[in-house]
Amino acid sequence: ELATAYLDLKQKYDQLVLKNVAGVFRTTVHGRFVECNDSMARMLGYPDREALMAVKVEELYRDPDDRKRFLFDLLEQKQLVNYQTVLKHAQGHSVHVLENVFINEPADRPATIDGTLIDITLMRHAELEQRVLLNNYAQLMDRVRDGILIVRDDQVLYANPSAEALAPDRLWKDAPFIERVHPDDHEAVIEALGSLSSLPTTGILDARIAAGGDTWRDMLFSAAAMSHEGRPAAQVTLQDVGLHRS
């Protein structure tokens, strides 16, 4: 009965490892595979797990120094959670992975490194594309003549040079947006910004914006819903119509 139970448990373990969509592996500390699943082999471009297990672990790293850092961190901490590194696909391109690993040190046999990993290459590429888009957006906003602000929860997160030029003696960033709006226009502007929870854009409003001292500048105000750093925000556009009031 014990033998049957053991075989049944081993079969369930093998199915869990082999059918797992994540890469599952066990290696020696010196970099030889003890076992891995087919998902890890496919992730790295190998036809099956046997082909991957014939490769030295250090040869899978894009940068050999990454392997050294990995071992140093693991031996010091004994466990690594959500550890990112770059491996090398069989065809030569980079594979960004997220690992969860621990060092298994049984008393009766040599230590092994046990873990799982998932491919986050597409996510990393998307992050890079987002950074490029944000950089292009910032460069564009720096050149337009209209004042452009990014506002969330009434806090100004970004102001382009044209917006800063409206009142050089007061900075927009990290300040409440509504404080720069004339009190008589507060209600209309707050209502317009609130509508972005259900509408993509506001209409165009006349609004007076503080321009330094006791001076207010007549502006055309509009706003559009956007995502900034992964959270909802509003892009506010202020177009100067050239009138100043005290």
Side-chain angles (χ1 to χ4, degrees):
E1 290 185 5
L2 286 176
T4 301
Y6 170 78
L7 290 175
D8 182 58
L9 183 62
K10 185 177 185 304
Q11 184 180 26
K12 290 180 179 179
Y13 171 80
D14 289 343
Q15 289 178 348
L16 176 64
V17 171
L18 296 177
K19 294 183 178 181
N20 201 319
V21 294
V24 180
F25 63 90
R26 173 176 291 156
T27 73
T28 68
V29 175
H30 300 294
R32 289 289 185 180
F33 276 102
V34 176
E35 62 179 307
C36 71
N37 64 354
D38 286 327
S39 293
M40 183 173 179
R42 287 192 297 269
M43 189 185 304
L44 297 176
Y46 292 85
D48 51 47
R49 66 193 189 100
E50 287 76 14
L52 176 58
M53 288 174 64
V55 180
K56 292 180 179 179
V57 174
E58 62 212 40
E59 295 176 2
L60 297 175
Y61 281 77
R62 168 62 64 193
D63 183 347
D65 287 340
D66 286 346
R67 174 66 179 176
K68 295 175 184 177
R69 281 190 289 271
F70 168 81
L71 287 175
F72 178 84
D73 292 340
L74 181 59
L75 293 172
E76 182 179 53
Q77 301 175 37
K78 304 302 181 182
Q79 181 179 13
L80 300 176
V81 178
N82 295 338
Y83 190 92
Q84 295 189 35
T85 193
V86 182
L87 301 181
K88 185 168 58 179
H89 193 273
Q91 296 181 354
H93 59 261
S94 297
V95 180
H96 296 263
V97 298
L98 187 71
E99 296 186 78
N100 287 285
V101 296
F102 68 96
I103 186 162
N104 185 14
E105 300 177 292
D108 58 342
R109 61 182 185 273
T112 59
I113 296 172
D114 298 11
T116 62
L117 73 169
I118 58 173
D119 185 349
I120 60 168
T121 304
L122 291 179
M123 184 181 72
R124 291 300 302 271
H125 287 172
E127 290 174 350
L128 178 60
E129 290 175 1
Q130 184 181 45
R131 285 197 295 269
V132 170
L133 288 173
L134 287 173
N135 184 60
N136 291 342
Y137 172 83
Q139 290 183 7
L140 176 63
M141 293 302 100
D142 285 349
R143 288 171 171 76
V144 298
R145 296 180 61 184
D146 294 339
I148 304 292
L149 308 167
I150 297 176
V151 179
R152 180 191 297 128
D153 298 331
D154 196 40
Q155 292 296 115
V156 178
L157 307 178
Y158 164 83
N160 73 341
S162 294
E164 296 290 8
L166 291 174
D169 61 325
R170 294 180 62 188
L171 295 177
W172 283 97
K173 194 171 185 305
D174 299 326
F177 171 71
I178 202 65
E179 287 185 0
R180 304 290 288 273
V181 178
H182 193 282
D184 291 346
D185 299 322
H186 278 189
E187 184 176 353
V189 169
I190 292 172
E191 182 179 350
L193 290 173
S195 72
L196 294 178
S197 61
S198 57
L199 298 173
T201 61
T202 68
I204 298 176
L205 310 175
D206 291 319
R208 285 159 289 179
I209 303 298
D214 296 325
T215 303
W216 299 89
R217 183 173 296 188
D218 286 338
M219 311 288 290
L220 296 179
F221 164 94
S222 61
M226 68 174 298
S227 177
H228 179 70
E229 297 179 346
R231 295 177 55 197
Q235 176 183 295
V236 173
T237 301
L238 300 174
Q239 184 178 0
D240 193 354
V241 296
L243 297 177
H244 299 73
R245 306 181 190 179
S246 299

